[in-house]
Amino acid sequence: MNRDPFLCERRVLACVCGMSPAVVTETLYALVTQQDFVPDEVHVITTTQGRARVLRDLLGVGEAGGTAAFEHFVQAYLPGRRPRFGTDCVHVLGQGNGDGDREGLSDIRSDDDNRRAADTVYRVLRALKDLPGTRLHASVAGGRKSMSFYMGHAFSLVAEPGDQLSHVLVDPPFEDRVPDFYFPTPESQLLPLWQHGQVVGTVDAQLAQVRLAELSVLKLGGLLANLPAKARERFDLAVCIAQATMLPPQVRLVWSVQAERGHVDMLGERIDLSRQQFAVLLLHALVRSHETELPGGAGLIVEDLPAGLLEEIGGQSVRASSFKSVRSKIRALAQAQVGPAADWLLIEAVGERRREEERPQALRLPAHCLTLVGVPNTWWQSLRRVLLTQRSSVAD
């Protein structure tokens, strides 16, 4: 369901982070002081080692005495308006619904690590956006390059017009030579300046320059609001579906002689169909695949086909009177597996009306994206003969 992104009730900051938690407070500083964006919640996505560093440096968990950097920031810039940010807001890569009881990732080193990291980032952002009225600001400033990429890409899949993606820019030497720096302080605060493992002087945190660079990105959340359950957990499937909303995917129609049933392979998912459903889809797929051989192109009125041909391809269960409901069931089954990408399997009206109650219909998917597997060639030959006869009589 589409929402007005500007009528927001909840503002959320989400950051990826490695071993430098300062990117969280630096981003928070820029949002609060430069954009008047005060989040209601702060969420951090990191590794197991990064989590320990975030808890220690930002929240003071495990540290004896003192106030953590996040609390310092709230006291300095948001007195009485503390955003929700606790241990439950620190999400570890490789932990979540799709990973079961597996341990979180300490680093990203393998293909499986990359998959799990991508799924985690995507799941966290989607869960945040699932609450209506959420305005999301996501930062790519921390962590490994792959983490930043996944944050940006996952943001694109869930974002709506009111959401923002950014990177935080910190001027030297605060960027890398002042490990105790977390944000520009409202008053003078001298911090040690390091070089080659030694303290070589001090710098004033009050003088630090921190700026937010907003990143332009496609915001596809409105197109991908109604995804199947698997695509809400798997980053790779969500990406494939997003791509298929813009360009037609490769689709295979597979017929099993032994089972006398067929299925559709699409975006790596298998869509099982009844014999009747497969027959209706196959008839339109055959005509689409051979449209250059036929006068009149890919348009087809299945109800006009002789009963013998329908029985040859679809078995005795096929009834022309039920084709309309069968078409809608095919789409519903596909939507349950591939979401909006199922629109490529639509069988829709094309061309001119040939008589008052009927128009030819054609499969939306283009011929170059169709592959037929295990389909007897005799089926096409029988269909071709019927269509050539019907169309030649119409032309006469």
Side-chain angles (χ1 to χ4, degrees):
M1 180 176 67
N2 292 329
R3 306 184 291 264
D4 185 339
F6 298 102
L7 297 177
C8 62
E9 302 170 357
R10 170 179 177 251
R11 295 183 173 190
V12 176
L13 168 63
C15 304
V16 282
C17 177
M19 299 301 289
S20 300
V23 297
V24 178
T25 44
E26 290 162 357
T27 302
L28 192 56
Y29 166 83
L31 286 173
V32 170
T33 63
Q34 297 167 21
Q35 296 198 6
D36 194 28
F37 183 99
V38 179
D40 300 295
E41 300 175 22
V42 177
H43 290 260
V44 177
I45 306 169
T46 184
T47 61
T48 54
Q49 295 178 2
R51 182 178 189 272
R53 188 70 64 89
V54 168
L55 297 184
R56 185 194 73 182
D57 293 354
L58 298 187
L59 295 175
V61 175
E63 290 290 287
T67 304
F70 181 76
E71 301 301 335
H72 274 302
F73 178 85
V74 172
Q75 292 171 10
Y77 292 100
L78 296 173
R81 300 181 64 185
R82 186 189 190 281
R84 187 175 80 84
F85 181 40
T87 57
D88 62 324
C89 298
V90 183
H91 310 271
V92 176
L93 296 174
Q95 290 184 342
N97 296 342
D99 291 285
D101 296 327
R102 298 177 69 180
E103 292 185 0
L105 299 175
S106 60
D107 201 352
I108 303 174
R109 295 292 187 185
S110 67
D111 288 346
D112 185 58
D113 291 348
N114 271 285
R115 179 195 59 76
R116 293 173 65 195
D119 287 347
T120 303
V121 174
Y122 171 63
R123 281 198 299 262
V124 170
L125 293 193
R126 181 159 289 286
L128 293 175
K129 285 294 293 180
D130 275 347
L131 186 63
T134 296
R135 183 178 175 190
L136 176 66
H137 189 106
S139 170
V140 301
R144 286 191 175 275
K145 292 182 177 65
S146 53
M147 292 169 63
S148 296
F149 171 81
Y150 292 138
M151 176 62 106
H153 209 333
F155 174 87
S156 180
L157 295 174
V158 305
E160 296 172 296
D163 302 320
Q164 286 184 311
L165 183 71
S166 74
H167 180 62
V168 69
L169 306 175
V170 181
D171 285 353
F174 298 95
E175 182 181 21
D176 55 3
R177 295 176 57 197
V178 189
D180 294 330
F181 174 76
Y182 288 90
F183 57 88
T185 53
E187 298 178 352
S188 179
Q189 181 184 18
L190 296 180
L191 300 175
L193 176 67
W194 291 76
Q195 185 171 350
H196 304 307
Q198 295 182 338
V199 176
V200 295
T202 59
V203 290
D204 193 342
Q206 187 182 27
L207 303 179
Q209 297 294 311
V210 175
R211 300 178 304 281
L212 207 63
E214 185 175 350
L215 306 177
S216 297
V217 62
L218 288 171
K219 298 173 182 178
L220 305 175
L223 293 175
L224 304 175
N226 299 312
L227 290 179
K230 282 191 288 188
R232 302 180 72 81
E233 298 289 329
R234 285 175 41 199
F235 173 77
D236 60 341
L237 180 55
V239 170
C240 288
I241 291 175
Q243 179 72 19
T245 63
M246 295 175 277
L247 293 173
Q250 292 297 314
V251 174
R252 299 196 324 153
L253 271 64
V254 183
W255 172 252
S256 170
V257 176
Q258 292 78 11
E260 292 192 345
R261 288 178 65 112
H263 69 269
V264 177
D265 287 333
M266 187 176 184
L267 305 183
E269 300 299 307
R270 173 174 169 143
I271 305 165
D272 288 307
L273 302 177
S274 69
R275 172 115 190 223
Q276 185 178 40
Q277 291 161 356
F278 186 81
V280 172
L281 183 60
L282 177 62
L283 286 166
H284 287 282
L286 285 169
V287 177
R288 174 63 80 186
S289 297
H290 298 276
E291 60 185 318
T292 57
E293 304 173 30
L294 296 169
L300 175 67
I301 300 177
V302 180
E303 290 81 356
D304 285 352
L305 298 177
L309 175 62
L310 295 177
E311 185 173 322
E312 177 185 354
I313 296 176
Q316 295 182 352
S317 63
V318 173
R319 296 293 182 269
S321 59
S322 64
F323 284 165
K324 186 174 182 179
S325 63
V326 169
R327 294 184 191 108
S328 63
K329 288 178 182 177
I330 293 170
R331 187 187 182 194
L333 289 169
Q335 282 181 321
Q337 297 291 326
V338 296
D343 285 352
W344 291 107
L345 298 184
L346 277 174
I347 298 169
E348 53 195 354
V350 295
E352 298 179 357
R353 191 182 301 275
R354 294 185 183 175
R355 59 176 181 264
E356 185 176 351
E357 68 278 9
E358 294 291 351
R359 287 179 64 189
Q361 294 188 318
L363 182 65
R364 178 178 291 183
L365 189 73
H368 69 272
C369 295
L370 265 172
T371 302
L372 306 181
V373 179
V375 175
N377 188 54
T378 54
W379 289 358
W380 162 240
Q381 295 301 328
S382 298
L383 177 60
R384 180 175 181 271
R385 283 194 296 270
V386 169
L387 293 178
L388 288 177
T389 300
Q390 288 180 345
R391 296 183 184 189
S392 63
S393 64
V394 170
D396 294 340

